[in-house]
Structure formats: structure tokens, C-alpha cells
Amino acid sequence: KKPLKKSTLHDWLKIFNMQMIRKICRVLLPKKIELTSIDGTGFDSWQRSRHYEKRAGEAQIKPMPYAKADLFIDIKTQQILDFSLITHRKHDVKVAEQIFKRNKIKNIRGLGDGAYDSENLHEIARANGITFYAPVRKTDKRRRRIINFFIF
């Protein structure tokens, strides 16, 4: 048997640039979108399988310290409306701002977790046709500092 190689997705991403991939995704959008969601997750390089890297002959590849994937999806069809793939740490709000600015779909509702609690993000969402809901963060660092200043 042949040893495992990088996925077909890697080869596909080399052929098409990101603009082309985004155009393809826009063509495949569902007809009616009402409720959307956004979330992101990070991957550390220590989670990669060294066993498969050696079998595929790619053990000499420079280690990737971090990767992050953010997805903006239609909840009903679970189809990806937009995405971000980056190889450095970036706060969820900053990535969501970029995704919402690219959004062409109007009159939709969006959901996010507490990491997306940002007035600036809500303003960008409204300006781009998204009514966005995110729970208020439990602790506000600025507010806590002010309270501590007056107490002590």
C-alpha cells in the first residue's frame, strides 16, 4: 500500500486561489437564509500525527505553530457561507469583523458565543445586514479595574 499523503484539499487549494474559492462558495449559497452562526477554533502543531508525517515522507516539514479556522454557517442547511483559515493567533471578534464585511446576504440573524461580545462587531454586523446576537461576557476587565480602584 502507498503511504498516506496530504489530503486532496491541500492540492485543490494550490490550484485555486482564495478569491476563486469564495466565488464558488457564493454560487452554492442556499436560496433562503434566515439564521446563521459563527465560531472559530484553533489547532496547535503538537496535535499532528508524527507517525503519518514519517510514513508520508514529510517529517522534514517545518512545524506549524498554530492554525485557526472560523466558520460562518447557515444553521438550517449547515452550509458554510464564509470562512477564514489563518496560521496565527487572532481574536474571534477581529476575524468576525472581516467575515461580516464580506457578507452580501441581507436581513439575516446571526448567533455567536460570548467571545463575540463587542459593540464594534455589532455595528459592523448591522451595517452589513446582520442582526447579531451574542451573550454578554460574564466579566468585563475594564469595569473590574475601575471598581478595584475605588475600593482600594
Side-chain angles (χ1 to χ4, degrees), residues 46-57:
W46 57 267
Q47 294 175 323
R48 298 187 315 191
S49 171
R50 304 292 181 217
H51 170 73
Y52 288 111
E53 283 182 356
K54 287 177 187 173
R55 284 189 63 201

Side-chain angles (χ1 to χ4, degrees), residues 102-115:
R102 285 193 301 255
N103 178 53
K104 303 287 185 230
I105 309 160
K106 302 299 178 198
N107 300 320
I108 57 174
R109 291 175 293 150
L111 304 174
D113 59 24

Side-chain angles (χ1 to χ4, degrees), residues 13-143:
L13 288 172
K14 287 178 189 174
I15 296 170
F16 299 101
N17 63 21
M18 197 56 74
Q19 291 173 338
M20 179 62 75
I21 293 169
R22 289 192 195 286
K23 284 180 184 179
I24 292 169
C25 288
R26 273 189 233 120
V27 169
L28 300 173
L29 287 177
K31 299 279 186 237
K32 187 176 180 185
I33 300 171
E34 295 175 358
L35 186 60
T36 62
S37 181
I38 188 167
D39 203 5
T41 190
F43 308 97
D44 288 319
S45 64
W46 57 267
Q47 294 175 323
R48 298 187 315 191
S49 171
R50 304 292 181 217
H51 170 73
Y52 288 111
E53 283 182 356
K54 287 177 187 173
R55 284 189 63 201
E58 298 176 0
Q60 71 278 2
I61 292 176
K62 184 179 173 183
M64 178 185 64
Y66 187 78
K68 185 172 190 291
D70 294 89
L71 299 177
F72 183 49
I73 66 163
D74 174 29
I75 291 180
K76 187 175 182 180
T77 62
Q78 296 184 358
Q79 187 170 351
I80 297 171
L81 306 175
D82 201 350
F83 60 92
S84 172
L85 302 169
I86 55 177
T87 57
H88 56 278
R89 295 183 190 276
K90 195 172 192 180
H91 196 280
D92 288 342
V93 170
K94 295 297 179 189
V95 176
E97 287 174 358
Q98 293 174 333
I99 289 174
F100 288 173
K101 285 177 183 176
R102 285 193 301 255
N103 178 53
K104 303 287 185 230
I105 309 160
K106 302 299 178 198
N107 300 320
I108 57 174
R109 291 175 293 150
L111 304 174
D113 59 24
Y116 297 95
D117 176 30
S118 164
E119 275 303 315
N120 190 41
L121 179 61
H122 285 272
E123 289 172 15
I124 290 170
R126 277 191 295 274
N128 289 284
I130 303 168
T131 305
F132 189 66
Y133 301 95
V136 177
R137 291 185 191 154
K138 290 186 172 108
T139 59
D140 184 353
K141 293 175 186 170
R142 288 172 289 159
R143 190 171 173 198

